[in-house]
Amino acid sequence: MTVSTPKAMAAEDSSRGHRRERRRSFGTHWYAWAMVAPVLAVMLVLIGWPLARGVYLSLTDATEANIGRTIGVNVIPSTYEFVGLDNYLRILTSGVFWDKLVWTVVWTVVCVALHYGIGLGLAVMLNRRLRFRSVYRVLLILPWAVPAFVAAFIWRYLYNSDYGVINGFLKMAGLSGVGWLDDPTTAKIAVIAVNVWLGVPFMMVALLGGLQSIPADLYEAAEVDGASPWQRFWAITMPGLRQVSTTVVLLGTIWTFNMFPIIFLVTRGGPGSETEILVTYAFREAFTGIRNYSGSAAWGVIILIMLVVLAVGYRRTLRNQGDPW
C-alpha cells in the first residue's frame, strides 16, 4: 500500500489544476489555436526540420565527397559517419574561430552602438517642432526601404578604387584616392559604415515612437522645477525609452551578428578573410571548395547557441533590474 505524503498530494493537485486550466483555455480559445496551427506547421517545416537536420549533420563528417546524391539514373548512397562532437572540438580549438569571433563581436558592438546613438539623436531632433519635419522623416527612412543586397552593390560601387564616387570627390579636392576595400582596416570601416547607414532608420523610427509615448506633462513639470535640458533628458527621456531601447538593442544585436549580405556582397569577406564574420565563414565552409556540410552546420549551431545564451542572459539581467520585459 502506497502512502501519499502531503507534498506529493499537493504536487498531484497542482498537476491536475494545470491540466484543467489547459483544457479550459483550449475550449475557450479553440478558434485562436486553429488560426495559429497552420503557422506552427509551416514553421516546423521551414525552420524545425532544417534546424534538426543541421544539428544532425554537425555530428557527422558529411562533405560533398561522401554525401548521397542522384546522377541521372545512378543513386550514390551516403557514406558519411557519425563523429559526435569532433566538429565542435575542432572549431573551438582553432585560431580561426576565435579570430572571427573577436571581429564579429567588435563589428556587432560598434554597429549597434552607432545605430542606437545616431538613431536616438535623430529621433530627439524629429520629435521637436521644426519646418519640413515630414520631409526629413521620409528622407531618413529611405535607407531602411532599400533592400540590403541593393544597398551593398551601390556601396561597393561607391568604394571602387578606380571609378568610385567617393574617390572621385577626393581627387576633385586634390587628394589621392583610397583603396577602401583593399586594406583590412579601411575595409572594416567601410562595411561598418554601410551597416550603420542601413540600420539607423529602424532605430530612429522605434525610438521616435517611444519618445512620442512619453507624456509631455513630465517635461513641463521638470522645466517648472528648473531642470536643464540635459537633466530632463537623463531623468525623463532615457527612463521613458527603457522598454523600447531594450527591445531594439536586442533585435539589433541579433540582426547585426548575422548580417550576411553586407559583409559578403561589399567585401566578399576580403581582403583575404579579414572582414569575415562567423556567419559568412560558415557559408564559405558549405559552398566553397570541397563543401564541408558538417563543419558548416557545426558553425551554425555554435552561432545559434551563442545568440540564445545572449538573449536569455540579456532578458534575465533586465528582469533582475526590475524591467518587466
Side-chain angles (χ1 to χ4, degrees), residues 72-116:
V73 295
N74 300 314
V75 178
I76 301 175
S78 300
T79 57
Y80 59 83
E81 299 177 349
F82 183 83
V83 296
L85 299 177
D86 287 357
N87 290 315
Y88 295 97
L89 293 175
R90 185 176 64 256
I91 292 171
L92 295 176
T93 55
S94 68
V96 174
F97 171 77
W98 297 105
D99 288 343
K100 302 309 174 192
L101 177 61
V102 169
W103 162 234
T104 303
V105 171
V106 171
W107 150 266
T108 303
V109 171
V110 172
C111 286
V112 173
L114 291 173
H115 286 165
Y116 186 82

Side-chain angles (χ1 to χ4, degrees), residues 62-64 87 90 285-288 290-297:
T63 65
E64 186 180 20
N87 290 315
R90 185 176 64 256
E285 284 283 289
F287 295 102
T288 59
I290 298 178
R291 300 178 179 182
N292 185 5
Y293 300 126
S294 58
S296 178

